[in-house]
Amino acid sequence: MSRTPYTGADSSAGPETISAAPRSLATSRRALGVVGEEVVALAPLPLDSGSGSAVELLFDRVRASRLDWTPTEADSVAAQEICAALDGLPLAIELAAARARAFGLADIAAHLHQRLDALSSTPRGSVSPHDSLEAAIAWSVDQLPGEDRALLLRLWPFDSGFTWEAAAAVHPPGVDGAVLAKLASLVDRSVLTAEMSSGHVRYRLLETIRRHCRATDPDPAGTAAAHAEWARAFVAGRVPLLDGPRLGGAVHELAAELAKSPGRDRP
């Protein structure tokens, strides 16, 4: 989301004009890049069960179509699974809630672990121009420059996030190797998130986008092999550190990079 001063058709307006101009609000996948723009990143809804959470939205939308419905403890567990699988994205949660007219939340959660098309189509009157969540994700990915898209489709094995060095290790062959520039472009276009910690950045794909990349990767076996080679090299580089003063740091790095196995995602 961007807040920008509106200056009419005169793109050469000076600072005095801009500071006196009314403010305007725009939402976009990427920053507009105009003078005076303030960018506010909109995060997904929190996954807890408190006020304003993804679970609260899911329950609210289910009640709207089933007025006599009261969530059970099992429904609460399933709701947490649904919201986590959908990254707390409001549109995706709305589509999941629409399915609750025909299925229980536990059924929806079980199907979402396999396929995103378990979600309903976009409801009538929605402001979304896309027929489904899959269509919205596909549109965003298809808008990427070719080399950026090629890199994105190689990142699906990293289900717990990754560093730029890891991305460089699985970089598609035959594509320009400017990995940092491509990662920056993917973050700018809101298909990749960047999380800062202690001065270092860690990248992560939303689960919905990660699943799309796995499903549309033209060479999933090659991607999995490149990831496995990176994992072997990463572990081999930390093994010598496990017997010495850097043990704690090495264990922390191994836990961060190998917390989840991508094996469940391989075809």
Side-chain angles (χ1 to χ4, degrees):
M1 179 175 70
S2 298
R3 295 178 294 189
T4 62
Y6 175 73
T7 58
D10 183 8
S11 61
S12 62
E16 297 80 5
T17 303
I18 291 176
S19 63
R23 313 289 283 184
S24 63
L25 181 68
T27 59
S28 176
R29 290 186 305 117
R30 60 188 305 188
L32 301 178
V34 299
V35 176
E37 179 180 24
E38 299 175 8
V39 178
V40 180
L42 297 179
L45 295 175
L47 297 180
D48 57 33
S49 55
S51 177
S53 69
V55 171
E56 182 184 41
L57 174 62
L58 177 62
F59 284 172
D60 179 73
R61 302 318 301 151
V62 172
R63 291 191 189 98
S65 60
R66 295 168 56 186
L67 297 181
D68 59 345
W69 180 76
T70 300
T72 64
E73 183 175 347
D75 287 329
S76 296
V77 173
Q80 289 281 356
E81 293 180 8
I82 291 169
C83 293
L86 298 176
D87 301 308
L89 298 176
L91 172 61
I93 291 169
E94 292 266 4
L95 300 182
R99 284 296 193 213
R101 290 194 292 268
F103 303 101
L105 294 186
D107 297 321
I108 297 171
H111 282 89
L112 280 178
H113 285 302
Q114 301 299 323
R115 300 180 62 86
L116 286 179
D117 60 10
L119 298 179
S120 173
S121 57
T122 305
R124 183 179 302 174
S126 171
V127 297
S128 173
H130 305 291
D131 294 333
S132 65
L133 178 64
E134 278 279 17
I137 293 172
W139 182 86
S140 294
V141 173
D142 289 345
Q143 297 301 305
L144 298 173
E147 292 193 348
D148 291 1
R149 183 177 182 274
L151 175 60
L152 179 71
L153 296 182
R154 297 277 285 192
L155 299 176
W156 60 262
F158 296 104
D159 55 3
S160 59
F162 55 92
T163 63
W164 74 265
E165 293 95 338
V170 300
H171 193 274
V175 175
D176 172 44
V179 173
L180 290 177
K182 291 183 179 65
L183 291 174
S185 175
L186 294 174
V187 171
D188 288 343
R189 293 171 182 268
S190 302
V191 294
L192 190 66
T193 62
E195 302 166 350
M196 287 288 185
S197 178
S198 302
H200 298 283
V201 66
R202 187 170 184 81
Y203 301 96
R204 188 174 75 87
L205 288 170
L206 292 178
E207 180 63 17
T208 47
I209 295 178
R210 194 178 74 85
R211 290 190 188 188
H212 174 82
C213 290
R214 179 203 167 193
T216 57
D217 183 358
D219 183 20
T223 297
H227 179 271
E229 181 60 31
W230 164 81
R232 284 191 291 268
F234 180 81
V235 172
R238 270 63 187 175
V239 166
L241 305 179
L242 297 179
D243 184 17
R246 298 178 63 184
L247 168 64
V251 170
H252 177 77
E253 287 185 332
L254 288 168
E257 299 298 338
L258 307 176
K260 297 181 182 179
S261 169
R264 61 184 174 88
D265 278 330
R266 293 179 188 172

